[in-house]
Amino acid sequence: MHALHAPRPAAPLDLVEIDSLLTPDERAVRDAVRTFCDRRVEPHIAEWFEQGEIEDIRGLTKELGELGLLGMHLEGYGCAGMSAVDYGLACLELEATDSGLRSLVSVQGSLAMYAIHAFGSEEQKQEWLPRLAAGTAIGCFGLTEPDSGSDPGSMRTAARRDGDDWVLDGRKMWITNGSVADVAVVWARTDDGVRGFVVPTDTPGFSAPAIKHKMSLRASVTSELVLDSVRLPGSAVLPEVRGLRGPLSCLNEARYGIAWGAMGAARSSFRAALAYAGDRVQFGRPISSFQLTQAKLTDMALELAKGTLLAFHLGRTKDDRGLRPEQVSYGKLNNTRAALEICRTARTVLGANGISLEYPVIRHANNLESILTYEGTVEMHTLVIGQALTGQAAFR
């Protein structure tokens, strides 16, 4: 007879033992990012959020590069070449600290660097990728416009030929890292369809005024990009892609990271609610002993585990054979929606303290209002999945 093994004591933050699915190397990646965030960012993040700016963003970006987090899932050119699951775990830990931190890493690696890596010339790759991977340069990604969000095909930014040069005119909006970027990947209409351009931000005619008065993603640089007769050499165009396939494939890379990252924000808020409920005494006992509070905690734990398992499955699938767009939409739509609901429920457990920056909950909830919308709204991801289910494109 086989001896019965006594079950291990339950870990409240991982009752279904998701951690056991990770390899030792994956746990090491997770732990390294968590340690960095706890040491370098957690002591300051509430103040940065309140002030609306990251202190020494260039120094922080360089440290992220030294840790190997910038373009970590890309191969060569100084990139770490790690797995999709490794990248997802990093996104989860970064966003458990703040969505703005994960956005900085995501835009740098999954948008700006990925575009150059996938579609750039060898000259563009050699010039920019090692610096972006090291964090000594910062990149941004210009697709969204004031009047062109979910419908990028209606963009007005245009590039025209002038001899051997290109001349770009237009505006981009809601661009993460824009005001601090050294290089922008800008998408524009041309006579040959939508093309991507590698634009050094010190090029005459380029400016990036910061967007102020945000109530979400405050610990993140968000900017407008203004292109006023920006003249670029012919070599500035990304040679390996034409049409919207280029920017949309970049967005799918970033959306995958969001599926993991949202669970980080949810975990942080759930952890705060669980600890608070155990400490807060009302009617002579901890509020964690009351049925309604336990129901809230249970619902949060269920959604957190389900969302994390979905992200993990998508990561393993991505590493094995790649992801289809509707699979990315599953992760982005479900996990951002679930994370926002977890944060809102956690806020009710904390009562009035839930709106204080002494706790992370309201900061995560505010951030997730942006995450819910950016890189594909709820409506667009719903219709991507709807098209996969029915074969009918409802948004055309």
Side-chain angles (χ1 to χ4, degrees):
M1 295 180 64
H2 296 288
L4 294 176
H5 296 285
R8 288 178 290 183
L13 290 170
D14 189 17
L15 292 182
V16 296
E17 299 187 22
I18 298 173
D19 190 68
S20 67
L21 300 175
L22 305 181
T23 68
D25 285 347
E26 288 165 348
R27 289 193 198 99
V29 170
R30 187 266 319 274
D31 292 347
V33 180
R34 184 181 296 177
T35 298
F36 172 83
C37 291
D38 287 347
R39 173 186 61 80
R40 178 65 174 85
V41 185
E42 282 287 354
H44 314 290
I45 189 62
E47 182 180 358
W48 293 350
F49 184 92
E50 192 163 27
Q51 292 177 348
E53 63 178 337
I54 299 175
E55 182 182 302
D56 188 20
I57 187 171
R58 288 196 170 274
L60 178 62
T61 304
K62 190 169 183 292
E63 291 180 62
L64 291 165
E66 291 169 352
L67 196 58
L69 295 180
L70 303 177
M72 63 183 287
H73 56 310
L74 304 178
E75 295 279 352
Y77 306 98
C79 302
M82 304 190 83
S83 71
V85 171
D86 288 332
Y87 176 57
L89 289 165
C91 286
L92 189 151
E93 295 302 327
L94 291 165
E95 195 148 353
T97 293
D98 193 80
S99 301
L101 182 63
R102 198 267 310 148
S103 291
L104 189 162
V105 170
S106 176
V107 168
Q108 179 99 339
S110 289
L111 293 180
M113 291 178 68
Y114 179 82
I116 296 171
H117 192 277
F119 307 122
S121 66
E122 187 61 28
E123 179 184 2
Q124 290 166 340
K125 294 175 186 178
Q126 293 287 355
E127 179 179 3
W128 287 108
L129 290 179
R131 294 162 59 192
L132 291 167
T136 55
I138 297 176
C140 69
F141 185 87
L143 179 63
T144 299
E145 297 185 359
D147 299 314
S148 175
S150 295
D151 181 17
S154 66
M155 72 175 67
R156 297 180 182 179
T157 298
R160 59 180 173 83
R161 278 287 199 178
D162 185 14
D164 293 334
D165 293 343
W166 289 95
V167 179
L168 274 64
D169 286 282
R171 302 289 186 273
K172 300 295 182 179
M173 198 68 174
W174 304 113
I175 308 303
T176 297
N177 298 350
S179 303
V180 296
D182 301 283
V183 63
V185 174
V186 175
W187 301 90
R189 290 187 297 106
T190 75
D191 290 339
D192 194 24
V194 172
R195 302 296 302 272
F197 296 85
V198 179
V199 185
T201 58
D202 59 0
T203 306
F206 181 97
S207 60
I211 295 173
K212 301 293 186 181
H213 310 301
K214 297 182 299 176
M215 295 305 293
S216 178
L217 288 178
R218 289 180 56 77
S220 176
V221 174
T222 311
S223 311
E224 180 183 8
L225 304 185
V226 179
L227 301 113
D228 188 3
S229 297
V230 172
R231 181 173 293 272
L232 300 168
S235 60
V237 70
L238 294 173
E240 299 300 327
V241 72
R242 288 171 173 78
L244 289 174
R245 179 179 69 86
L248 294 182
S249 64
C250 299
L251 287 172
N252 273 335
E253 288 294 308
R255 290 163 177 163
Y256 163 76
I258 291 171
W260 283 91
M263 291 297 97
R267 187 192 71 193
S268 174
S269 294
F270 171 64
R271 175 180 289 171
L274 184 63
Y276 185 88
D279 293 338
R280 176 70 167 173
V281 174
Q282 292 290 276
F283 304 104
R285 62 187 195 180
I287 64 172
S288 61
S289 68
F290 293 111
Q291 292 181 3
L292 291 178
T293 301
Q294 290 192 5
K296 292 177 181 181
L297 294 170
T298 297
D299 286 343
M300 286 189 281
L302 287 171
E303 295 306 314
L304 177 59
K306 288 189 289 185
T308 305
L309 284 168
L310 174 57
F312 181 81
H313 171 68
L314 292 176
R316 285 282 189 255
T317 303
K318 191 175 193 300
D319 281 325
D320 182 47
R321 57 188 177 274
L323 294 174
R324 299 190 304 274
E326 65 269 19
Q327 293 174 316
V328 179
S329 289
Y330 257 95
K332 204 274 185 179
L333 175 61
N334 182 82
N335 286 9
T336 52
R337 202 157 55 181
L340 187 55
E341 188 57 35
I342 288 170
C343 291
R344 289 170 174 166
T345 303
R347 211 289 301 160
T348 69
V349 173
L350 270 69
N353 283 319
I355 68 167
S356 169
L357 287 178
E358 296 298 321
Y359 299 88
V361 175
I362 195 65
R363 177 167 51 80
H364 286 309
N366 280 14
N367 286 338
L368 283 166
E369 292 290 351
S370 291
I371 309 305
L372 191 70
T373 299
Y374 82 178
E375 296 181 30
T377 63
V378 166
E379 292 80 4
M380 294 309 298
H381 287 295
T382 298
L383 296 181
V384 168
I385 296 170
Q387 181 178 359
L389 293 172
T390 66
Q392 303 292 326
F395 48 86
R396 296 287 183 193

